[in-house]
Amino acid sequence: MLECRNLVVNYESTPVLQNLSIYIDSGEIVALTGPSGAGKTTLLRCIAGLEIINAGSIWLNGDEITTRPAHLRRIGLVFQDNQLFPHLNVAENIAYSLKIHRVSKKLIDDKVAEVLDLVDLAHLADREVVRLSGGEAKRIAVARALVAQPEVLLLDEPLNGLDKELHARLLEDLGKLLRLRGTTTLHVTHDQDEAAKMADRVLDIRQLLS
Ligand code: ADP
């Protein structure tokens, strides 16, 4: 499970998150909606360990991780613009976090092959990422986030900017994939329809502030 208790984040003197609390059960997919500028991305950055928080605590499966460095949190993140490393090919992008953790080459090769299969793109392992289509790049970003078997997956408007048909297909595939793997997921989206289709529970960030 993932829990944030009474998180406070201020940028200089401007409050961005004021006493935000959220609880997500293991294996649950929660969609988070709410107006632009309400702090959704900031919350994801806090959970991922990329933001300085002024007060409150974050818990993962019973352990407090509030001050744990980002690379030790076992939290996967998919950004709106994917943020693939342009100088690495598909397989190298996916392998990156495993290499940092000094996983053996054999195990890296096995895990990369497994997630490439999962997103149906095994044939693109050697492709330069700048030569991927929008939908392919999105699948690779998801594969990269899942390869280290994160405890939690954070999705920040992951399907923005895709055409309607591709959006519908990826939404369905992503939902199936995350349910199959039982991945605890927090999915930020401004799209109510996407939220309802994807998630077990839909929350508005304004409900989480006290
Ligand atoms: P959302 O994802 O809901 O659109 P954000 O978390 O991106 O909201 O932003 C919340 C608020 O924090 C906004 O008012 C935004 O302008 C502000 N903000 C975000 N990042 C920074 C930053 N690095 N410095 C100052 N203000 C920021």
Side-chain angles (χ1 to χ4, degrees):
M1 62 88 202
L2 171 73
E3 187 176 11
C4 299
R5 292 186 198 154
N6 302 107
L7 286 189
V8 176
V9 173
N10 302 316
Y11 287 132
E12 295 177 351
S13 55
T14 311
V16 176
L17 295 181
Q18 265 190 307
N19 252 0
L20 179 144
S21 298
I22 184 170
Y23 179 93
I24 304 175
D25 236 330
S26 293
E28 196 181 18
I29 300 178
V30 170
L32 185 65
T33 61
S36 182
K40 302 181 295 300
T41 295
T42 303
L43 172 62
L44 294 192
R45 290 175 51 81
C46 289
I47 296 168
L50 303 173
E51 198 72 60
I52 294 172
I53 68 173
N54 299 97
S57 59
I58 304 174
W59 300 77
L60 187 58
N61 299 332
D63 295 326
E64 182 169 3
I65 60 162
T66 316
T67 58
R68 189 182 290 177
H71 67 285
L72 300 178
R73 289 194 183 199
R74 303 205 56 196
I75 289 178
L77 194 48
V78 176
F79 302 92
Q80 184 170 333
D81 59 356
N82 303 325
Q83 299 197 11
L84 297 174
F85 308 120
H87 56 294
L88 301 178
N89 71 20
V90 163
E92 290 164 345
N93 260 274
I94 297 172
Y96 186 83
S97 67
L98 301 176
K99 273 195 181 154
I100 285 183
H101 286 96
R102 297 177 186 279
V103 175
S104 72
K105 175 153 181 1
K106 166 87 179 75
L107 194 55
I108 291 180
D109 289 347
D110 289 351
K111 283 180 174 283
V112 169
E114 183 195 334
V115 290
L116 274 173
D117 263 346
L118 210 61
V119 296
D120 276 335
L121 291 179
H123 59 291
L124 295 184
D126 299 324
R127 172 87 45 104
E128 297 304 312
V129 294
V130 289
R131 291 179 45 249
L132 297 172
S133 73
E136 289 164 350
K138 184 58 65 188
R139 286 175 194 269
I140 298 304
V142 170
R144 186 178 64 172
L146 289 178
V147 74
Q149 286 172 301
E151 301 280 352
V152 172
L153 181 66
L154 305 175
L155 303 170
D156 194 358
E157 303 268 14
L159 303 177
N160 264 18
L162 302 174
D163 70 49
K164 205 171 157 198
E165 195 187 322
L166 187 57
H167 179 278
R169 187 146 39 91
L170 280 182
L171 182 62
E172 191 180 331
D173 288 355
L174 190 55
K176 271 192 200 150
L177 178 65
L178 297 179
R179 288 210 157 70
L180 184 74
R181 288 175 72 101
T183 308
T184 308
T185 303
L186 182 57
H187 176 173
V188 163
T189 176
H190 65 277
D191 179 338
Q192 295 290 343
D193 187 49
E194 178 181 309
K197 282 194 177 127
M198 177 77 162
D200 301 313
R201 203 150 55 96
V202 180
L203 298 172
D204 186 302
I205 192 167
R206 290 166 293 187
Q207 296 170 266
L208 307 177
L209 304 163
S210 61

